[in-house]
Amino acid sequence: MLAMTGVRARVRAELTEEILAVARRHLAEQGAAALSLRAVARDVGMVSSAVYRYFASRDELLTALIVEAFDAVGQAAEDADASRPRDDLAGRWLAMARAIRGWAIANPQQYALVYGSPVPGYAAPQDTVDPAARVSLVLLQLLVDGVAAGTLDDERIETSRALRTDLARLREFAPGVPDGVLVRGLHAWTWLFGHISYELFGHLHRVIEDYDAFFDLQAARTGEEVLGSHL
Amino acid sequence: MLAMTGVRARVRAELTEEILAVARRHLAEQGAAALSLRAVARDVGMVSSAVYRYFASRDELLTALIVEAFDAVGQAAEDADASRPRDDLAGRWLAMARAIRGWAIANPQQYALVYGSPVPGYAAPQDTVDPAARVSLVLLQLLVDGVAAGTLDDERIETSRALRTDLARLREFAPGVPDGVLVRGLHAWTWLFGHISYELFGHLHRVIEDYDAFFDLQAARTGEEVLGSHL
DNA sequence: TGTACATCAGTGAACGCGCGTTCACTGATGTAC
DNA sequence: TGTACATCAGTGAACGCGCGTTCACTGATGTAC
């Protein structure tokens, strides 16, 4: 047990991190599809088979990168959210939205890895579920705070019983937030990732040039729609 | 010249179509990353080098598939739009949104090819620009009709001069549509593709089960936001 | 503290595979006179 | 209508490349007594 924290264990941890760092760089430079165990091994200065002492397969390495990416967006969103006063809902939303977009622009391949097309032949294991949820919890907490503070109004929605059940299940992570508010929040959410993807994947090319202004304008609009314009 | 429509030309057209058909099937089954000239050639019953008589490179084959995909969404949107009375703006929007989502669900790999992460190492040539724009023109026409009919109200927006210029340029394809309406339309647009991607790429997994009801609810919300709730 | 044994990291070769693209060629189909 | 030539489609072999994964192995590091 003590040995687990001995030299061998420390070297192992360092090398694991080094492999990940190289893999991260390859991902950033070439994208997930071009990520190869052999190339990573070469850059680490190992023979390719040695990597198998650290990661059981290419998929496992990919999983590690996916978890990292989800954690990074989550962290960015949490930090941004925490940078505003708790009762400044609009400010928190805008800060969070900008932080997520900022992270995406700074790390386009990592963004594409988790929010773009699924990697062919790769099935996300259970390990990615919690990290994936992290960023969404920031939004849900925003809704919780807004409802608790009484600044977020419910609205009537008409929909299926099945969707009511879905929303009730989601409410476990957003206690007290009524369906109408949840639906507005989800709408903002899909808009946000839609906007970022649309921009990042080139669909605004030759249409919009002032990307930042366009995003800010739309993010503010979205904030008003979710939070109510009386803020 | 007459010979161009002779046997050789007809066989050539047929074989080109057959190669495309096989490529389309491979794309649908395996995704763009796994699309290989050699595999396509095998399935067509040709030697791989023979495909080069029809497509100069793998990228050119991919371009053809991209153009097809853009045309298919465009067609679906146009058909849906045309299925409603011209003055039923909300109906047209909803039909169009559903048609685009329906096409995406029926053709997930083709959707991912054009609206997902860019294919690494592939640069979209000029040929894809017009087909790509086709689907967007349906929305813009909707806005034009709404403004012309007087049912779409402008709103004040505050933004940069650069974005004003962008919007003015976009207005060439939507004569008479003021900035406020354009911005609402673009918001709906990014929401739509965001929602579809979010759903299709698995981010609603274990969150929403009644996908259809969820989409319809949100699409209706979006319609009200763009068109005004007085419809 | 010293020794025998077990664990582990890393090597190097190999397996089996697939890819895009080029090139010299054969034979069939079209064109010009 | 018949013949000589040009065009074109498709073949088969090759180039040069990279990949994930396995396996028997060496040598170093740790563990137990």
Side-chain angles (χ1 to χ4, degrees):
Chain A
M1 267 298 142
L2 238 169
M4 289 305 270
T5 57
V7 178
R8 193 131 88 179
R10 205 175 59 239
V11 171
R12 174 166 247 281
E14 281 171 11
L15 263 174
T16 307
E17 177 47 42
E18 194 179 335
I19 292 170
L20 270 176
V22 171
R24 210 179 295 133
R25 213 186 62 226
H26 283 208
L27 170 65
E29 286 166 3
Q30 314 274 354
L35 184 78
S36 116
L37 261 186
R38 292 186 101 113
V40 169
R42 264 195 304 274
D43 267 23
V44 174
M46 277 173 159
V47 103
S48 68
S49 53
V51 178
Y52 284 83
R53 295 273 170 212
Y54 300 87
F55 295 92
S57 64
R58 182 188 177 255
D59 273 14
E60 204 174 90
L61 182 58
L62 208 54
T63 298
L65 291 174
I66 287 172
V67 168
E68 277 195 1
F70 275 131
D71 265 328
V73 224
Q75 187 70 55
E78 285 167 12
D79 291 352
D81 181 62
S83 75
R84 307 284 151 152
R86 216 161 199 285
D87 60 353
D88 178 12
L89 296 187
R92 285 168 66 188
W93 158 255
L94 211 61
M96 178 170 70
R98 280 177 173 157
I100 295 174
R101 173 170 174 265
W103 178 84
I105 290 174
N107 306 278
Q109 296 286 4
Q110 290 184 62
Y111 177 84
L113 176 61
V114 290
Y115 291 108
S117 339
V119 179
Y122 172 85
Q126 196 60 28
D127 318 37
T128 62
V129 173
D130 283 355
R134 184 170 165 190
V135 69
S136 302
L137 294 180
V138 184
L139 174 77
L140 290 175
Q141 190 54 48
L142 188 81
L143 300 181
V144 170
D145 292 350
V147 170
T151 51
L152 269 185
D153 300 325
D154 192 16
E155 67 185 280
R156 285 180 53 82
I157 57 168
E158 284 185 35
T159 187
S160 70
R161 187 179 296 199
L163 190 66
R164 294 276 182 199
T165 310
D166 293 338
L167 294 173
R169 201 178 329 104
L170 186 57
R171 192 160 21 246
E172 287 177 32
F173 302 94
V177 178
D179 285 359
V181 176
L182 272 183
V183 164
R184 290 211 301 274
L186 287 167
H187 193 268
W189 212 231
T190 48
W191 165 77
L192 176 59
F193 288 94
H195 186 108
I196 295 172
S197 295
Y198 214 75
E199 174 183 340
L200 220 59
F201 296 164
H203 298 286
L204 293 180
H205 190 59
R206 295 186 179 276
V207 177
I208 300 293
E209 286 188 356
D210 194 344
Y211 289 120
D212 290 351
F214 184 51
F215 179 79
D216 279 354
L217 178 66
Q218 299 285 33
R221 277 189 59 82
T222 308
E224 285 174 17
E225 283 166 13
V226 187
L227 307 169
S229 51
H230 58 85
L231 284 176
Chain B
M1 266 299 144
L2 237 168
M4 289 306 268
T5 55
V7 178
R8 193 130 87 180
R10 204 175 62 238
V11 170
R12 175 166 245 282
E14 280 171 13
L15 262 174
T16 306
E17 177 46 43
E18 194 179 336
I19 291 170
L20 270 175
V22 171
R24 209 179 294 133
R25 215 186 61 227
H26 283 209
L27 171 64
E29 285 165 5
Q30 314 272 354
L35 184 77
S36 115
L37 261 187
R38 291 186 100 111
V40 169
R42 264 195 304 275
D43 267 23
V44 174
M46 274 174 162
V47 104
S48 68
S49 54
V51 177
Y52 285 82
R53 296 272 170 211
Y54 300 87
F55 295 92
S57 65
R58 181 187 177 255
D59 273 13
E60 203 174 271
L61 182 58
L62 209 55
T63 297
L65 292 175
I66 288 173
V67 168
E68 277 195 0
F70 275 130
D71 264 329
V73 224
Q75 186 72 54
E78 286 167 12
D79 291 351
D81 180 61
S83 75
R84 308 282 151 155
R86 215 159 200 284
D87 60 352
D88 178 13
L89 295 186
R92 285 168 65 188
W93 157 257
L94 211 63
M96 179 169 70
R98 281 177 172 157
I100 295 174
R101 172 172 174 263
W103 178 84
I105 290 174
N107 306 277
Q109 296 286 4
Q110 291 184 60
Y111 177 85
L113 175 61
V114 291
Y115 291 108
S117 339
V119 178
Y122 173 85
Q126 196 60 28
D127 318 37
T128 62
V129 173
D130 283 356
R134 184 171 164 187
V135 70
S136 302
L137 294 181
V138 184
L139 173 76
L140 290 175
Q141 189 55 47
L142 188 80
L143 300 181
V144 170
D145 292 349
V147 170
T151 51
L152 269 183
D153 300 326
D154 192 16
E155 68 184 279
R156 284 180 53 83
I157 57 169
E158 284 185 33
T159 188
S160 71
R161 186 179 299 198
L163 190 66
R164 293 278 182 195
T165 309
D166 293 338
L167 294 173
R169 201 179 328 105
L170 186 57
R171 192 160 22 245
E172 288 177 31
F173 302 94
V177 178
D179 286 0
V181 176
L182 273 182
V183 163
R184 290 210 304 274
L186 287 167
H187 193 269
W189 211 230
T190 49
W191 164 78
L192 175 60
F193 288 95
H195 186 108
I196 294 173
S197 295
Y198 214 75
E199 173 183 340
L200 219 59
F201 297 164
H203 299 285
L204 294 179
H205 190 59
R206 293 184 181 278
V207 177
I208 300 294
E209 286 187 355
D210 194 344
Y211 289 120
D212 290 350
F214 184 51
F215 178 80
D216 278 355
L217 179 66
Q218 299 286 33
R221 277 190 59 81
T222 308
E224 285 173 17
E225 283 165 15
V226 188
L227 306 170
S229 52
H230 57 85
L231 284 177

